[in-house]
Amino acid sequence: MASNTVDTSLERNAIGLTEVLFQSITHMAPAVATALSIGAATSFAAGITPLAVVLALVAALFTAYSMGELARHLPSAGGMYTYVARGLGSFAGWLMAWAFLLAEPIVPAALYASFGLFGASFITTLTGYTNDLLWLPLAVICGLIVWLLVYRGITISTRVGVALGLIEIGIFLLISLLLVVNAGSRNTLSVFIPGDAGILPALQGMVFCLLAFVGFEAAAPLAEETRDPKRTIRQAVIWSAVLIGLFYVFCYYAATVYFGPDNMSGFLTAFNSDPWGGMANEVLPGIGALLVTFAILNSSLANANAGANASTRAIFSLGRARILPAALAEIHPTYRTPVNAVHLQGILGIVLAVGLGLLFGWLRRHGNESPGEGGAKRLAVLPFENLGGADDEYFADGITDEVRGKLAALPGLQVTARSSSNEYKKTTRSPQEIGRELGVDYLLTGTVRWEKSDGANHVRVSPELIQVSTGSTKWQEPFDAALTDVFEVQGEMAGQV
């Protein structure tokens, strides 16, 4: 007699060690962590940041080993919920379930927004086109891609994760290798040895390095779809921490010896707060920064995919345990995916990414247009363009510096440092792009012409104040003066701004 039993389980034996390993690796987002997260550690660890990464790796391995042992004994789509509930009781498991629900489903949403922001920057760099809302359709596209991958099955989503993971790791390994080669005689193992301040700076930096390891546990929720899960999940959790830890160590060894151990305390703000993009451009002129941005884009998509895989399996498990509605435990008859959990994650992720992104954008614009009770306005003075002879370039630079100094002395105004602003000398980037990168509300730019004659020397300075949020000119007025009165002109210009 034929059975009418409906199979309500996930797809068994669908994936192996490679797919599960990269589920953990991509959930750690190695490109994003290298370019953004670990950079914060350099403010504390400075020239021994590689040692801070090693210490974080050792600490992460203790946790990874424990997680691996739990996965070996309790292979379940519930992951941490299952471990806590079995080990500490149902109430503790219930608390863990809700803690998870308040955190993990938000991760893909943040990554959709990240994909949109970096994607907009990538497009602007390539084409020159800019729009304040360019990030929005890109974020939605990222969300839809992840939604489709996770819906169609664990095999396709994890194999895409393998490909994406290899791309982002490959890009940063290439750049790091070139940094080591270009460092030449500056290569040294002293970056792993505490200096006069002892090991304390490395321990302080280690706190930020640990954030880069968050995600190696993401293999656990795939246990019910993995071949030989007791062995495979354990290996994936431990080896992902080991391999990506070594990757981080190599990348930050390369960055430290190239940038200079004595200079690493300023690493985070170097190259307009894009140190990896700046270094990449120096070793790969013209394409280096684009490769870094592409790797971050790739990493955002891969991390969102891995996060959605993990969160949908955990939501499925909580539905199966009736902590959440039972409908969330429903399985797609063909793809063997938790279909309602996938749809919930897809809708929630896109709505949060778009909604919060628009809210933050509105708050930023609103803040820029308000009278200023909430804080000082932020302004960057870009190098004034010299319209005279090449020998007069120093004069235009001097005018720029003097105006910047007078503006910095005014109350209610925060002026970006000279080193950051001067990176944009003779740039072709749009004011809105420059403003976003420098984090300012306004840009002051202009032209300088020094007219010399037998009778007298005259200076014509034409400043322009641009509001970043709209890209519009707020004020523009030429100033003409004899060379002897140029300091008076500078003061008058600062007052007008």
Side-chain angles (χ1 to χ4, degrees), residues 382-420:
L382 302 184
F384 283 18
E385 182 183 359
N386 171 41
L387 297 182
D391 293 341
D392 299 336
E393 189 73 29
Y394 76 95
F395 184 75
D397 292 340
I399 291 284
T400 304
D401 290 341
E402 291 295 333
V403 171
R404 183 184 293 112
K406 291 183 182 296
L407 287 171
L410 296 177
L413 197 61
Q414 293 179 356
V415 180
T416 300
R418 178 181 186 274
S419 58
S420 297

mmCIF file of all heavy atoms in Angstrom, residues 382-420:
data_model
loop_
_atom_site.group_PDB
_atom_site.id
_atom_site.type_symbol
_atom_site.label_atom_id
_atom_site.label_comp_id
_atom_site.label_asym_id
_atom_site.label_seq_id
_atom_site.Cartn_x
_atom_site.Cartn_y
_atom_site.Cartn_z
ATOM 1 N N LEU A 382 38.992 72.104 -0.166
ATOM 2 C CA LEU A 382 39.762 71.406 -1.196
ATOM 3 C C LEU A 382 40.811 72.346 -1.782
ATOM 4 O O LEU A 382 40.627 73.575 -1.783
ATOM 5 C CB LEU A 382 38.840 70.882 -2.291
ATOM 6 C CG LEU A 382 37.729 69.926 -1.851
ATOM 7 C CD1 LEU A 382 36.974 69.414 -3.072
ATOM 8 C CD2 LEU A 382 38.269 68.767 -1.041
ATOM 9 N N PRO A 383 41.910 71.802 -2.288
ATOM 10 C CA PRO A 383 42.952 72.658 -2.870
ATOM 11 C C PRO A 383 42.401 73.555 -3.971
ATOM 12 O O PRO A 383 41.755 73.072 -4.905
ATOM 13 C CB PRO A 383 43.965 71.641 -3.422
ATOM 14 C CG PRO A 383 43.764 70.412 -2.591
ATOM 15 C CD PRO A 383 42.294 70.371 -2.294
ATOM 16 N N PHE A 384 42.636 74.861 -3.851
ATOM 17 C CA PHE A 384 42.180 75.803 -4.868
ATOM 18 C C PHE A 384 42.988 75.585 -6.151
ATOM 19 O O PHE A 384 44.183 75.318 -6.109
ATOM 20 C CB PHE A 384 42.358 77.237 -4.387
ATOM 21 C CG PHE A 384 41.308 77.683 -3.393
ATOM 22 C CD1 PHE A 384 40.535 76.763 -2.703
ATOM 23 C CD2 PHE A 384 41.101 79.024 -3.145
ATOM 24 C CE1 PHE A 384 39.575 77.164 -1.796
ATOM 25 C CE2 PHE A 384 40.151 79.445 -2.229
ATOM 26 C CZ PHE A 384 39.375 78.518 -1.552
ATOM 27 N N GLU A 385 42.295 75.690 -7.266
ATOM 28 C CA GLU A 385 42.938 75.459 -8.552
ATOM 29 C C GLU A 385 43.724 76.695 -8.990
ATOM 30 O O GLU A 385 43.217 77.820 -8.947
ATOM 31 C CB GLU A 385 41.885 75.126 -9.604
ATOM 32 C CG GLU A 385 42.469 74.830 -10.980
ATOM 33 C CD GLU A 385 41.396 74.574 -12.021
ATOM 34 O OE1 GLU A 385 40.193 74.607 -11.663
ATOM 35 O OE2 GLU A 385 41.763 74.354 -13.189
ATOM 36 N N ASN A 386 44.965 76.465 -9.388
ATOM 37 C CA ASN A 386 45.812 77.554 -9.874
ATOM 38 C C ASN A 386 45.531 77.809 -11.351
ATOM 39 O O ASN A 386 45.716 76.930 -12.200
ATOM 40 C CB ASN A 386 47.286 77.174 -9.664
ATOM 41 C CG ASN A 386 48.234 78.145 -10.341
ATOM 42 O OD1 ASN A 386 48.008 79.342 -10.294
ATOM 43 N ND2 ASN A 386 49.270 77.611 -10.973
ATOM 44 N N LEU A 387 45.081 79.014 -11.685
ATOM 45 C CA LEU A 387 44.800 79.375 -13.079
ATOM 46 C C LEU A 387 45.944 80.156 -13.707
ATOM 47 O O LEU A 387 45.853 80.576 -14.862
ATOM 48 C CB LEU A 387 43.511 80.206 -13.160
ATOM 49 C CG LEU A 387 42.227 79.498 -12.711
ATOM 50 C CD1 LEU A 387 41.028 80.422 -12.897
ATOM 51 C CD2 LEU A 387 42.024 78.196 -13.455
ATOM 52 N N GLY A 388 47.013 80.364 -12.930
ATOM 53 C CA GLY A 388 48.167 81.070 -13.457
ATOM 54 C C GLY A 388 49.213 80.106 -13.976
ATOM 55 O O GLY A 388 48.920 78.957 -14.332
ATOM 56 N N GLY A 389 50.445 80.551 -14.009
ATOM 57 C CA GLY A 389 51.529 79.721 -14.487
ATOM 58 C C GLY A 389 51.875 78.625 -13.495
ATOM 59 O O GLY A 389 51.498 78.668 -12.320
ATOM 60 N N ALA A 390 52.629 77.642 -13.984
ATOM 61 C CA ALA A 390 53.010 76.524 -13.135
ATOM 62 C C ALA A 390 53.829 76.980 -11.928
ATOM 63 O O ALA A 390 53.758 76.376 -10.853
ATOM 64 C CB ALA A 390 53.793 75.495 -13.948
ATOM 65 N N ASP A 391 54.568 78.062 -12.079
ATOM 66 C CA ASP A 391 55.391 78.564 -10.986
ATOM 67 C C ASP A 391 54.548 79.154 -9.853
ATOM 68 O O ASP A 391 55.064 79.401 -8.756
ATOM 69 C CB ASP A 391 56.361 79.638 -11.495
ATOM 70 C CG ASP A 391 57.409 79.060 -12.443
ATOM 71 O OD1 ASP A 391 57.606 77.827 -12.405
ATOM 72 O OD2 ASP A 391 58.019 79.835 -13.210
ATOM 73 N N ASP A 392 53.270 79.399 -10.118
ATOM 74 C CA ASP A 392 52.401 80.010 -9.115
ATOM 75 C C ASP A 392 51.623 78.976 -8.304
ATOM 76 O O ASP A 392 50.765 79.335 -7.490
ATOM 77 C CB ASP A 392 51.400 80.960 -9.796
ATOM 78 C CG ASP A 392 52.099 82.091 -10.531
ATOM 79 O OD1 ASP A 392 53.245 82.407 -10.150
ATOM 80 O OD2 ASP A 392 51.495 82.644 -11.464
ATOM 81 N N GLU A 393 51.899 77.674 -8.524
ATOM 82 C CA GLU A 393 51.152 76.622 -7.841
ATOM 83 C C GLU A 393 51.268 76.766 -6.328
ATOM 84 O O GLU A 393 50.297 76.589 -5.588
ATOM 85 C CB GLU A 393 51.666 75.242 -8.275
ATOM 86 C CG GLU A 393 50.812 74.072 -7.802
ATOM 87 C CD GLU A 393 49.506 73.971 -8.570
ATOM 88 O OE1 GLU A 393 49.462 74.389 -9.743
ATOM 89 O OE2 GLU A 393 48.528 73.489 -7.975
ATOM 90 N N TYR A 394 52.482 77.120 -5.870
ATOM 91 C CA TYR A 394 52.699 77.245 -4.428
ATOM 92 C C TYR A 394 51.820 78.343 -3.842
ATOM 93 O O TYR A 394 51.378 78.273 -2.691
ATOM 94 C CB TYR A 394 54.171 77.550 -4.135
ATOM 95 C CG TYR A 394 54.559 78.980 -4.431
ATOM 96 C CD1 TYR A 394 54.562 79.952 -3.432
ATOM 97 C CD2 TYR A 394 54.901 79.367 -5.729
ATOM 98 C CE1 TYR A 394 54.905 81.263 -3.707
ATOM 99 C CE2 TYR A 394 55.247 80.674 -6.013
ATOM 100 C CZ TYR A 394 55.241 81.629 -4.996
ATOM 101 O OH TYR A 394 55.562 82.918 -5.274
ATOM 102 N N PHE A 395 51.547 79.392 -4.650
ATOM 103 C CA PHE A 395 50.756 80.507 -4.160
ATOM 104 C C PHE A 395 49.305 80.074 -3.938
ATOM 105 O O PHE A 395 48.686 80.415 -2.911
ATOM 106 C CB PHE A 395 50.831 81.658 -5.153
ATOM 107 C CG PHE A 395 50.127 82.905 -4.692
ATOM 108 C CD1 PHE A 395 50.695 83.714 -3.723
ATOM 109 C CD2 PHE A 395 48.900 83.247 -5.222
ATOM 110 C CE1 PHE A 395 50.037 84.859 -3.291
ATOM 111 C CE2 PHE A 395 48.241 84.387 -4.792
ATOM 112 C CZ PHE A 395 48.807 85.199 -3.823
ATOM 113 N N ALA A 396 48.755 79.303 -4.875
ATOM 114 C CA ALA A 396 47.387 78.796 -4.723
ATOM 115 C C ALA A 396 47.289 77.882 -3.505
ATOM 116 O O ALA A 396 46.311 77.930 -2.750
ATOM 117 C CB ALA A 396 46.952 78.047 -5.986
ATOM 118 N N ASP A 397 48.315 77.041 -3.306
ATOM 119 C CA ASP A 397 48.326 76.164 -2.134
ATOM 120 C C ASP A 397 48.381 76.974 -0.851
ATOM 121 O O ASP A 397 47.732 76.628 0.151
ATOM 122 C CB ASP A 397 49.519 75.210 -2.195
ATOM 123 C CG ASP A 397 49.401 74.195 -3.316
ATOM 124 O OD1 ASP A 397 48.270 73.974 -3.780
ATOM 125 O OD2 ASP A 397 50.434 73.625 -3.722
ATOM 126 N N GLY A 398 49.142 78.045 -0.871
ATOM 127 C CA GLY A 398 49.234 78.896 0.309
ATOM 128 C C GLY A 398 47.910 79.565 0.633
ATOM 129 O O GLY A 398 47.509 79.654 1.799
ATOM 130 N N ILE A 399 47.215 80.031 -0.400
ATOM 131 C CA ILE A 399 45.893 80.635 -0.205
ATOM 132 C C ILE A 399 44.957 79.607 0.442
ATOM 133 O O ILE A 399 44.219 79.906 1.393
ATOM 134 C CB ILE A 399 45.310 81.107 -1.549
ATOM 135 C CG1 ILE A 399 46.102 82.307 -2.086
ATOM 136 C CG2 ILE A 399 43.834 81.449 -1.410
ATOM 137 C CD1 ILE A 399 45.798 83.609 -1.400
ATOM 138 N N THR A 400 44.970 78.383 -0.086
ATOM 139 C CA THR A 400 44.111 77.321 0.450
ATOM 140 C C THR A 400 44.395 77.082 1.926
ATOM 141 O O THR A 400 43.477 76.996 2.751
ATOM 142 C CB THR A 400 44.326 76.011 -0.337
ATOM 143 O OG1 THR A 400 44.103 76.240 -1.725
ATOM 144 C CG2 THR A 400 43.367 74.932 0.138
ATOM 145 N N ASP A 401 45.663 76.965 2.274
ATOM 146 C CA ASP A 401 46.033 76.684 3.662
ATOM 147 C C ASP A 401 45.635 77.818 4.595
ATOM 148 O O ASP A 401 45.159 77.585 5.713
ATOM 149 C CB ASP A 401 47.542 76.432 3.765
ATOM 150 C CG ASP A 401 47.968 75.123 3.123
ATOM 151 O OD1 ASP A 401 47.093 74.259 2.930
ATOM 152 O OD2 ASP A 401 49.162 74.960 2.809
ATOM 153 N N GLU A 402 45.825 79.052 4.146
ATOM 154 C CA GLU A 402 45.483 80.188 4.999
ATOM 155 C C GLU A 402 43.970 80.265 5.225
ATOM 156 O O GLU A 402 43.510 80.536 6.342
ATOM 157 C CB GLU A 402 45.996 81.486 4.366
ATOM 158 C CG GLU A 402 47.507 81.629 4.365
ATOM 159 C CD GLU A 402 48.066 81.740 5.768
ATOM 160 O OE1 GLU A 402 47.342 82.203 6.669
ATOM 161 O OE2 GLU A 402 49.226 81.356 5.970
ATOM 162 N N VAL A 403 43.191 80.042 4.178
ATOM 163 C CA VAL A 403 41.731 80.065 4.320
ATOM 164 C C VAL A 403 41.282 78.939 5.245
ATOM 165 O O VAL A 403 40.413 79.128 6.115
ATOM 166 C CB VAL A 403 41.055 79.953 2.939
ATOM 167 C CG1 VAL A 403 39.551 79.751 3.090
ATOM 168 C CG2 VAL A 403 41.331 81.197 2.105
ATOM 169 N N ARG A 404 41.884 77.750 5.073
ATOM 170 C CA ARG A 404 41.538 76.611 5.940
ATOM 171 C C ARG A 404 41.821 76.951 7.404
ATOM 172 O O ARG A 404 41.014 76.668 8.299
ATOM 173 C CB ARG A 404 42.318 75.368 5.526
ATOM 174 C CG ARG A 404 41.949 74.133 6.349
ATOM 175 C CD ARG A 404 42.798 72.929 5.983
ATOM 176 N NE ARG A 404 42.524 72.469 4.631
ATOM 177 C CZ ARG A 404 43.399 72.549 3.627
ATOM 178 N NH1 ARG A 404 44.598 73.103 3.834
ATOM 179 N NH2 ARG A 404 43.091 72.109 2.442
ATOM 180 N N GLY A 405 42.965 77.564 7.654
ATOM 181 C CA GLY A 405 43.315 77.912 9.018
ATOM 182 C C GLY A 405 42.357 78.915 9.639
ATOM 183 O O GLY A 405 41.979 78.784 10.806
ATOM 184 N N LYS A 406 41.956 79.926 8.876
ATOM 185 C CA LYS A 406 41.022 80.924 9.398
ATOM 186 C C LYS A 406 39.643 80.322 9.648
ATOM 187 O O LYS A 406 38.963 80.658 10.623
ATOM 188 C CB LYS A 406 40.930 82.102 8.424
ATOM 189 C CG LYS A 406 42.204 82.937 8.358
ATOM 190 C CD LYS A 406 42.051 84.119 7.444
ATOM 191 C CE LYS A 406 43.375 84.912 7.361
ATOM 192 N NZ LYS A 406 43.740 85.486 8.665
ATOM 193 N N LEU A 407 39.207 79.408 8.775
ATOM 194 C CA LEU A 407 37.912 78.754 8.968
ATOM 195 C C LEU A 407 37.939 77.848 10.201
ATOM 196 O O LEU A 407 36.945 77.753 10.938
ATOM 197 C CB LEU A 407 37.547 77.941 7.724
ATOM 198 C CG LEU A 407 37.135 78.746 6.491
ATOM 199 C CD1 LEU A 407 37.027 77.827 5.279
ATOM 200 C CD2 LEU A 407 35.814 79.458 6.728
ATOM 201 N N ALA A 408 39.060 77.162 10.418
ATOM 202 C CA ALA A 408 39.163 76.250 11.564
ATOM 203 C C ALA A 408 39.041 77.000 12.880
ATOM 204 O O ALA A 408 38.658 76.410 13.899
ATOM 205 C CB ALA A 408 40.493 75.496 11.505
ATOM 206 N N ALA A 409 39.350 78.303 12.873
ATOM 207 C CA ALA A 409 39.283 79.096 14.106
ATOM 208 C C ALA A 409 37.870 79.598 14.404
ATOM 209 O O ALA A 409 37.619 80.118 15.495
ATOM 210 C CB ALA A 409 40.237 80.291 14.003
ATOM 211 N N LEU A 410 36.948 79.416 13.455
ATOM 212 C CA LEU A 410 35.586 79.906 13.657
ATOM 213 C C LEU A 410 34.786 78.934 14.510
ATOM 214 O O LEU A 410 34.883 77.723 14.340
ATOM 215 C CB LEU A 410 34.889 80.096 12.305
ATOM 216 C CG LEU A 410 35.484 81.159 11.370
ATOM 217 C CD1 LEU A 410 34.721 81.160 10.051
ATOM 218 C CD2 LEU A 410 35.418 82.536 12.016
ATOM 219 N N PRO A 411 33.954 79.424 15.435
ATOM 220 C CA PRO A 411 33.117 78.531 16.250
ATOM 221 C C PRO A 411 32.012 77.891 15.416
ATOM 222 O O PRO A 411 31.545 78.463 14.433
ATOM 223 C CB PRO A 411 32.541 79.477 17.315
ATOM 224 C CG PRO A 411 32.559 80.828 16.669
ATOM 225 C CD PRO A 411 33.771 80.851 15.790
ATOM 226 N N GLY A 412 31.595 76.685 15.811
ATOM 227 C CA GLY A 412 30.501 75.998 15.135
ATOM 228 C C GLY A 412 30.869 75.373 13.815
ATOM 229 O O GLY A 412 29.992 75.032 13.019
ATOM 230 N N LEU A 413 32.175 75.223 13.547
ATOM 231 C CA LEU A 413 32.623 74.678 12.269
ATOM 232 C C LEU A 413 33.750 73.674 12.503
ATOM 233 O O LEU A 413 34.723 73.978 13.191
ATOM 234 C CB LEU A 413 33.112 75.808 11.366
ATOM 235 C CG LEU A 413 33.242 75.530 9.863
ATOM 236 C CD1 LEU A 413 31.893 75.170 9.273
ATOM 237 C CD2 LEU A 413 33.815 76.751 9.161
ATOM 238 N N GLN A 414 33.598 72.479 11.959
ATOM 239 C CA GLN A 414 34.642 71.466 12.008
ATOM 240 C C GLN A 414 35.270 71.373 10.620
ATOM 241 O O GLN A 414 34.587 71.063 9.642
ATOM 242 C CB GLN A 414 34.072 70.098 12.408
ATOM 243 C CG GLN A 414 33.551 70.037 13.826
ATOM 244 C CD GLN A 414 32.982 68.667 14.165
ATOM 245 O OE1 GLN A 414 32.908 67.793 13.306
ATOM 246 N NE2 GLN A 414 32.575 68.491 15.405
ATOM 247 N N VAL A 415 36.569 71.633 10.543
ATOM 248 C CA VAL A 415 37.262 71.670 9.256
ATOM 249 C C VAL A 415 38.164 70.449 9.130
ATOM 250 O O VAL A 415 38.963 70.152 10.032
ATOM 251 C CB VAL A 415 38.093 72.960 9.123
ATOM 252 C CG1 VAL A 415 38.814 72.998 7.782
ATOM 253 C CG2 VAL A 415 37.189 74.182 9.264
ATOM 254 N N THR A 416 38.018 69.723 8.029
ATOM 255 C CA THR A 416 38.810 68.521 7.773
ATOM 256 C C THR A 416 40.290 68.869 7.648
ATOM 257 O O THR A 416 40.654 69.912 7.105
ATOM 258 C CB THR A 416 38.324 67.834 6.486
ATOM 259 O OG1 THR A 416 36.952 67.487 6.643
ATOM 260 C CG2 THR A 416 39.118 66.573 6.197
ATOM 261 N N ALA A 417 41.128 67.984 8.136
ATOM 262 C CA ALA A 417 42.571 68.217 8.136
ATOM 263 C C ALA A 417 43.122 68.365 6.715
ATOM 264 O O ALA A 417 42.574 67.814 5.750
ATOM 265 C CB ALA A 417 43.293 67.084 8.849
ATOM 266 N N ARG A 418 44.226 69.089 6.612
ATOM 267 C CA ARG A 418 44.876 69.354 5.325
ATOM 268 C C ARG A 418 45.251 68.065 4.604
ATOM 269 O O ARG A 418 45.062 67.932 3.390
ATOM 270 C CB ARG A 418 46.128 70.204 5.565
ATOM 271 C CG ARG A 418 46.934 70.526 4.315
ATOM 272 C CD ARG A 418 48.162 71.363 4.688
ATOM 273 N NE ARG A 418 48.888 71.818 3.520
ATOM 274 C CZ ARG A 418 49.829 71.107 2.908
ATOM 275 N NH1 ARG A 418 50.145 69.899 3.361
ATOM 276 N NH2 ARG A 418 50.452 71.597 1.848
ATOM 277 N N SER A 419 45.790 67.084 5.352
ATOM 278 C CA SER A 419 46.261 65.848 4.719
ATOM 279 C C SER A 419 45.134 65.093 4.031
ATOM 280 O O SER A 419 45.332 64.477 2.986
ATOM 281 C CB SER A 419 46.936 64.948 5.761
ATOM 282 O OG SER A 419 46.038 64.651 6.821
ATOM 283 N N SER A 420 43.935 65.141 4.622
ATOM 284 C CA SER A 420 42.791 64.453 4.008
ATOM 285 C C SER A 420 42.264 65.215 2.807
ATOM 286 O O SER A 420 41.996 64.633 1.757
ATOM 287 C CB SER A 420 41.685 64.274 5.048
ATOM 288 O OG SER A 420 42.115 63.461 6.113
#
